Amino acid sequence: MSEQRKLRSAAWFGGNGKNAFMHRSWMKNQGLPDDLFDGRPVIGICNTWSELTPCNAHLRGLAERVKRGVYEAGGLPVEFPVMSLGESNLRPTAMLFRNLASMDVEESIRGNPIDGVILLVGCDKTTPALLMGAASCNLPTIAVSGGPMLNGNFRGQPIGSGTHVWKFYEDVKAGRMPLEDFLAAEQGQSRSAGSCMTMGTASTMASLVEALGIGLPDNASIPAVDARRGVLAHLAGRRIVELVKDDVTMSRILTRAAFENAIRVNGAIGGSTNAVLHLIAVARRIGVDLDLDDWDRLGRDVPTIVDLLPSGRYLMEDFYYAGGLRAVMRTLAEAGLLHKEAETVAGQSIGDIVKDAPNYNSEVIRPLDRPLTLQGGIAVLRGNLAPDGAVIKPSAATPKLMQHKGRAVVFENIEHYHARIDDPQLAIDASSVMVLKNCGPRGYPGMAEVGNMPLPAKLLKQGVADMVRISDARMSGTAYGTVVLHTAPEAASGGTLALVQDGDLIELDVEGRRLELHVGAEELAARRKAWVAPSLSLGGYQSLYVERVLQADQGCDFDFLVGRRDAGVPRHSH
């Protein structure tokens, strides 16, 4: 660090005036000695610890590990809380509050004497929320994920968080699994601290943190309770002090090349469809223009080589022991599918980090000539049913349904679905296309994970395992099936999805990237004229959300949050 360059925190703690006295004096009530205010880097530890967010309930311990590293490197660590978004408990959906949490993060960083930031993340939305907020400030930053749970186990068989919930629930509906067995599996699924141990959204985002270079090597896969997760947090504490001294801001790391690497990695790991929304939102905060076409262009032909649930067989512990994300990225780099020169917070390029990465298990991390699926990336569909795009995850879909024509069975909202799906008189068969409306960003509001609609009991009992499902909703990254999501514009905004009626013919062609409603233009025009927007009785934050949220193809950020505002020192408070 140049002797002439004053750190941001010096505007609070430097000098002998009244304001400096106040800032130092009140901090000293925590027992901090004088020399901690000598101009050394102040490192904010942004913590999403919460007992209401089970995946993040162990992050207090990781924060202590970070503090050790910061002190060792000559910095002053200061831990602060922000809103914690737990996918398992928070209603109506954690996605509703992602943007709110990002505002909390951004303003907490900008308004306080912080020179660099460690983001402690874990559960699905905590990772993008903290990255979005920090990106808007553009200080030196490292993200540290909490890590996955130990592999689930039920009666001697491995089970995956989320994925087996959907599977077991359908088995109960089909009469293949007793209810008492279903309930007995609860504890076996969640055996330790940490987030989902499948390649759901939490593990996907932890992987993309590493792929983007904003996290240290092995951030993706070290189990939460493995001592090496604590080591990683400790080393991150040391490293963030160096990044501050060298003024390595987020914009140095989160470049166009970094996002292109992340998209290709997402394809290789069979990552969550939710990553599309989150990466677009983070990119646009930092100033990189990323869109749906980039996802299709860069990711569509990347084979999925990680054999993990929900697409494959194994779980995150197995992935770590096999070599983790470094082994995956080495395979991609050797095939010319990565920008090897991309910088990372570790101080090395991606290429240097992964060039000698070993693969200890070629069943878990497969070679490119023996992939799990040939096209593992997110497929972006367009057509009159999705003019602004929709997405599907081919690695989790049924191959024979990837080209399909069927008659629509329509559910106007999630309540209509629940009331109707198990009606024995419902006119539905295996060839039908299930259509769910009004579950998008504005319609739910918040775009809940309801797009992977469970199949009707009468078809499950006939042995039907999958059907084409289309909605403007999301689905859990742990889910599976031939599920078309994020249809834009959404139904509540007057998208074509709002006009679909029972019996309409719908065509899905994943190879051709098409999603078509076979209804004539005149009929659609008549339906649109008769359409009435759903009335939502909202107040408070939800009103703000509905008024200002962007559509799925733009990442569902608020229109007024897109872009960087950086972290200039605010005017004095006294």
Side-chain angles (χ1 to χ4, degrees):
M1 179 178 67
S2 167
E3 291 297 321
Q4 288 75 37
R5 187 173 72 85
K6 281 189 176 181
L7 294 177
R8 189 173 176 273
S9 58
W12 280 262
F13 299 136
N16 299 312
K18 169 180 65 93
N19 284 300
F21 175 101
M22 281 198 312
H23 295 312
R24 291 193 301 260
S25 175
W26 263 269
M27 289 292 286
K28 285 179 179 179
N29 80 353
Q30 301 173 76
L32 301 177
D34 280 340
D35 61 353
L36 290 182
F37 302 97
D38 59 5
R40 68 186 64 197
V42 177
I43 305 301
I45 303 173
C46 183
N47 200 344
T48 53
W49 169 86
S50 171
E51 289 179 341
L52 286 169
T53 307
C55 300
N56 295 23
H58 63 300
L59 293 187
R60 269 187 168 171
L62 280 188
E64 293 304 316
R65 297 287 183 169
V66 172
K67 289 177 186 177
R68 291 185 192 182
V70 171
Y71 276 125
E72 286 175 359
L76 169 59
V78 286
E79 183 181 353
F80 64 98
V82 291
M83 185 179 188
S84 187
L85 309 178
E87 197 65 50
S88 57
N89 283 331
L90 193 56
R91 294 183 179 183
T93 172
M95 184 64 176
L96 175 65
F97 304 106
R98 185 200 65 178
N99 299 345
L100 179 62
S102 79
M103 294 165 71
D104 186 356
V105 173
E106 177 180 349
E107 302 306 337
S108 293
I109 292 172
R110 185 179 293 111
N112 281 293
I114 292 170
D115 301 307
V117 192
I118 294 284
L119 307 175
L120 289 183
V121 296
C123 194
D124 300 10
K125 308 307 174 291
T126 60
T127 302
L130 269 59
L131 286 174
M132 290 161 67
S136 291
C137 292
N138 195 33
L139 293 179
T141 301
I142 298 176
V144 176
S145 300
M149 291 186 279
L150 295 177
N151 287 358
N153 194 286
F154 178 58
R155 297 179 178 172
Q157 299 298 316
I159 61 172
S161 46
T163 302
H164 275 83
V165 174
W166 322 129
K167 180 183 184 301
F168 288 165
Y169 181 63
E170 291 196 340
D171 285 347
V172 171
K173 287 182 68 175
R176 294 188 294 265
M177 185 179 200
L179 179 61
E180 54 269 26
D181 288 359
F182 175 68
L183 299 176
E186 286 180 12
Q187 189 67 70
Q189 176 186 269
S190 304
R191 296 174 49 230
S192 75
S195 54
C196 294
M197 84 301 281
T198 48
M199 189 54 76
T201 304
S203 292
T204 297
M205 294 308 298
S207 297
L208 298 191
V209 160
E210 187 174 337
L212 286 166
I214 202 70
L216 294 180
D218 295 325
N219 179 78
S221 57
I222 303 173
V225 295
D226 192 309
R228 288 165 285 195
R229 180 61 62 178
V231 173
L232 181 118
H234 192 139
L235 295 177
R238 291 181 186 172
R239 182 62 189 152
I240 190 61
V241 176
E242 297 304 314
L243 293 181
V244 170
K245 290 178 178 179
D246 295 336
D247 196 25
V248 180
T249 59
M250 283 186 83
S251 58
R252 279 266 303 271
I253 306 300
L254 296 184
T255 61
R256 174 77 188 187
F259 284 102
E260 292 189 358
N261 284 346
I263 287 172
R264 286 181 166 139
V265 164
N266 191 74
I269 63 176
S272 168
T273 50
N274 288 293
V276 178
L277 303 168
H278 301 324
L279 232 61
I280 289 174
V282 174
R284 293 186 175 192
R285 288 288 188 100
I286 203 70
V288 173
D289 186 15
L290 197 71
D291 59 29
L292 280 177
D293 290 335
D294 291 317
W295 277 89
D296 203 53
R297 178 177 58 84
L298 295 163
R300 68 179 291 175
D301 294 325
V302 176
T304 295
I305 59 173
V306 176
D307 193 344
L308 256 66
L309 286 169
S311 299
R313 297 173 289 170
Y314 297 98
L315 296 166
M316 288 298 291
E317 258 192 280
D318 309 306
F319 182 43
Y320 178 55
Y321 304 147
L325 197 69
R326 280 198 268 187
V328 176
M329 294 182 74
R330 176 181 177 177
T331 300
L332 295 180
E334 290 176 348
L337 294 173
L338 282 189
H339 299 288
K340 293 187 286 187
E341 76 286 355
E343 289 188 67
T344 75
V345 293
Q348 298 173 278
S349 69
I350 282 288
D352 286 340
I353 287 172
V354 307
K355 65 181 179 180
D356 298 317
N359 181 349
Y360 299 112
N361 189 331
S362 60
E363 287 298 307
V364 177
I365 303 172
R366 299 180 174 210
L368 281 174
D369 61 3
R370 191 169 54 84
L372 187 67
T373 61
L374 283 172
Q375 290 189 321
I378 302 299
V380 177
L381 311 171
R382 295 186 189 274
N384 70 341
L385 191 49
D388 293 335
V391 302
I392 189 171
K393 181 177 175 179
S395 64
T398 300
K400 69 179 182 180
L401 291 176
M402 301 275 268
Q403 285 191 312
H404 182 78
K405 286 183 182 178
R407 298 289 175 183
V409 177
V410 177
F411 308 99
E412 294 296 328
N413 51 45
I414 195 61
E415 289 76 21
H416 188 217
Y417 162 81
H418 287 303
R420 195 180 186 208
I421 188 62
D422 287 325
D423 180 351
Q425 303 305 312
L426 181 64
I428 189 170
D429 59 31
S431 69
S432 299
V433 175
M434 296 168 62
V435 176
L436 177 62
K437 304 178 184 180
N438 296 307
C439 292
R442 296 182 65 196
Y444 203 77
M447 202 180 184
E449 292 186 341
V450 294
N452 58 312
M453 297 165 269
L455 307 189
K458 69 179 182 180
L459 296 186
L460 290 169
K461 290 174 181 176
Q462 295 170 18
V464 177
D466 193 12
M467 294 171 63
V468 174
R469 287 159 272 180
I470 300 171
S471 74
D472 47 14
R474 299 179 300 115
M475 76 174 181
S476 168
T478 66
Y480 52 88
T482 311
V483 184
V484 177
L485 304 154
H486 309 181
T487 302
E490 64 176 305
S493 292
T496 310
L497 189 70
L499 310 179
V500 181
Q501 296 181 2
D502 279 339
D504 287 347
L505 184 65
I506 293 176
E507 181 180 3
L508 169 66
D509 179 5
V510 176
E511 180 62 29
R513 297 303 197 253
R514 292 189 305 114
L515 185 64
E516 296 286 342
L517 176 65
H518 289 285
V519 174
E522 288 186 11
E523 172 63 18
L524 285 179
R527 292 183 189 181
R528 185 171 298 284
K529 188 175 181 179
W531 177 74
V532 177
S535 177
L536 295 173
S537 179
L538 301 171
Y541 170 72
Q542 290 195 23
S543 293
L544 171 68
Y545 187 94
V546 168
E547 290 169 5
R548 305 304 292 269
V549 71
L550 297 169
Q551 288 292 288
D553 60 302
Q554 299 178 70
C556 297
D557 203 355
F558 288 154
D559 53 8
F560 61 87
L561 291 178
V562 175
R564 252 173 45 205
R565 288 161 288 283
D566 290 335
V569 175
R571 59 179 60 178
H572 283 298
S573 54
H574 293 84

